[in-house]
Amino acid sequence: MNRKIALVTGASSGIGRATALRLAEEGFNLVICGRRKEQLDQLQKELPSDCQSHQLLFDVRDQAEVFKAIESLPHNFKSVDLLINNAGNAHGLDPFQEAPLDDFNAMIDINIKGLLYVSKAVLPTMLDRNNGHIINIGSTAAKEVYPNGSVYCASKAGVDAITKGMQLDLNKTDIKVGAIHPGLVQTNFSEVRFKGDQQRADQVYKGFKALQAEDIADIIAFVVTRPFHVNIADLVVMPTAQANSVTVNKKL
Ligand code: 8X3
């Protein structure tokens, strides 16, 4: 079987990791990208034996590193068919007037600029073949602004706008572009947001059943297995207990 190639950013953990595992099951070979080699090594060990995989270690914030890494892809991994722009995170949950600029920079650099760099590095091979699929992982935060989340929400609204812009500008090609916007997913997202404060992170997911990384991977598997003429352009998914970013039916 001729296996397609999927490149997943942020594959070391959470949604990216679950998606890589699921795409391997769906018959993709994988380019798994991340900053943490041990986690990528572990992921590779868990991949089914018929899945060929290649690691790329880079920080999406570093423009030169991103392009160098993508250019370094061996011949058999160069023609990326599916790009999952998943790398992203939140830094802090503070009022605008109190939040450190470092947090703002990190979120803009990772969630927006990182996605731009990876997309621009991968797109030429898709354009050459007039074929490909890009899925950007946004957030419900793209669709509404919640208190203390101004810049995180802005960064994800940016992902939403960039997705729509890509759809317009690539409309004349056969390249599909879509976004998936998850609400509360139980990963290390909150641990990163709260800078290692595990207790505070755990509170976020208490009292209801949050989405799991595998739920998003399952949706991605559905999205990428539609016929060519079907593009899931914009998809919002929340736990049943969640109505919006600040309304969660918690049974505490
Ligand atoms: C993650 C969901 O509600 O923390 O993007 O913004 S939320």
Side-chain angles (χ1 to χ4, degrees):
M1 189 179 70
N2 202 5
R3 296 174 69 106
K4 289 186 166 186
I5 298 162
L7 185 148
V8 182
T9 67
S12 348
S13 63
I15 293 172
R17 184 180 205 280
T19 300
L21 284 164
R22 183 57 193 269
L23 289 174
E25 266 177 48
E26 296 293 329
F28 283 83
N29 285 338
L30 294 173
V31 180
I32 48 174
C33 310
R35 286 170 302 161
R36 292 166 292 177
K37 180 153 175 46
E38 312 82 71
Q39 270 95 335
L40 294 182
D41 286 344
Q42 181 56 38
L43 170 59
Q44 266 179 323
K45 281 191 203 138
E46 292 172 40
L47 293 171
S49 55
D50 55 349
C51 170
Q52 289 178 27
S53 63
H54 184 83
Q55 285 186 19
L56 286 183
L57 281 171
F58 63 85
D59 184 336
V60 294
R61 284 176 285 196
D62 188 324
Q63 181 180 334
E65 239 185 61
V66 170
F67 280 83
K68 206 170 128 202
I70 308 277
E71 274 159 26
S72 78
L73 278 173
H75 179 72
N76 51 331
F77 285 99
K78 264 206 189 325
S79 298
V80 174
D81 298 285
L82 171 64
L83 165 60
I84 309 286
N85 271 320
N86 162 73
N89 49 34
H91 290 252
L93 184 66
D94 303 301
F96 183 85
Q97 60 276 21
E98 287 162 26
L101 264 177
D102 281 352
D103 284 354
F104 291 172
N105 280 328
M107 291 185 280
I108 299 291
D109 288 350
I110 297 169
N111 300 353
I112 298 190
K113 290 166 81 177
L115 179 143
L116 294 176
Y117 300 153
V118 175
S119 302
K120 287 288 276 181
V122 170
L123 251 175
T125 67
M126 292 186 174
L127 289 166
D128 281 350
R129 289 171 295 132
N130 190 31
N131 185 32
H133 193 169
I134 299 173
I135 298 177
N136 296 328
I137 305 300
S139 166
T140 43
K143 306 290 186 180
E144 60 180 349
V145 182
Y146 53 78
N148 305 327
S150 55
V151 175
Y152 178 68
C153 295
S155 73
K156 290 299 188 175
V159 171
D160 198 14
I162 291 161
T163 304
K164 288 171 178 148
M166 283 177 163
Q167 284 165 350
L168 291 168
D169 294 345
L170 291 164
N171 175 253
K172 283 195 164 55
T173 75
D174 286 344
I175 299 168
K176 291 191 200 189
V177 183
I180 296 172
H181 297 283
L184 290 157
V185 186
Q186 193 166 11
T187 61
N188 68 352
F189 175 86
S190 291
E191 198 190 322
V192 173
R193 164 171 265 177
F194 300 130
K195 302 167 187 178
D197 184 340
Q198 190 63 55
Q199 245 183 339
R200 194 172 171 203
D202 289 346
Q203 285 308 316
V204 176
Y205 309 108
K206 279 243 166 82
F208 73 107
K209 174 77 178 171
L211 292 172
Q212 304 298 302
E214 291 73 20
D215 296 321
I216 308 303
D218 194 32
I219 289 165
I220 290 174
F222 175 80
V223 169
V224 302
T225 50
R226 293 312 87 208
F228 170 71
H229 70 285
V230 179
N231 183 33
I232 311 287
D234 191 31
L235 190 153
V236 175
V237 52
M238 290 185 281
T240 303
Q242 183 179 10
N244 68 17
S245 295
V246 292
T247 310
V248 182
N249 181 17
K250 289 195 171 202
K251 299 193 166 75
L252 290 169

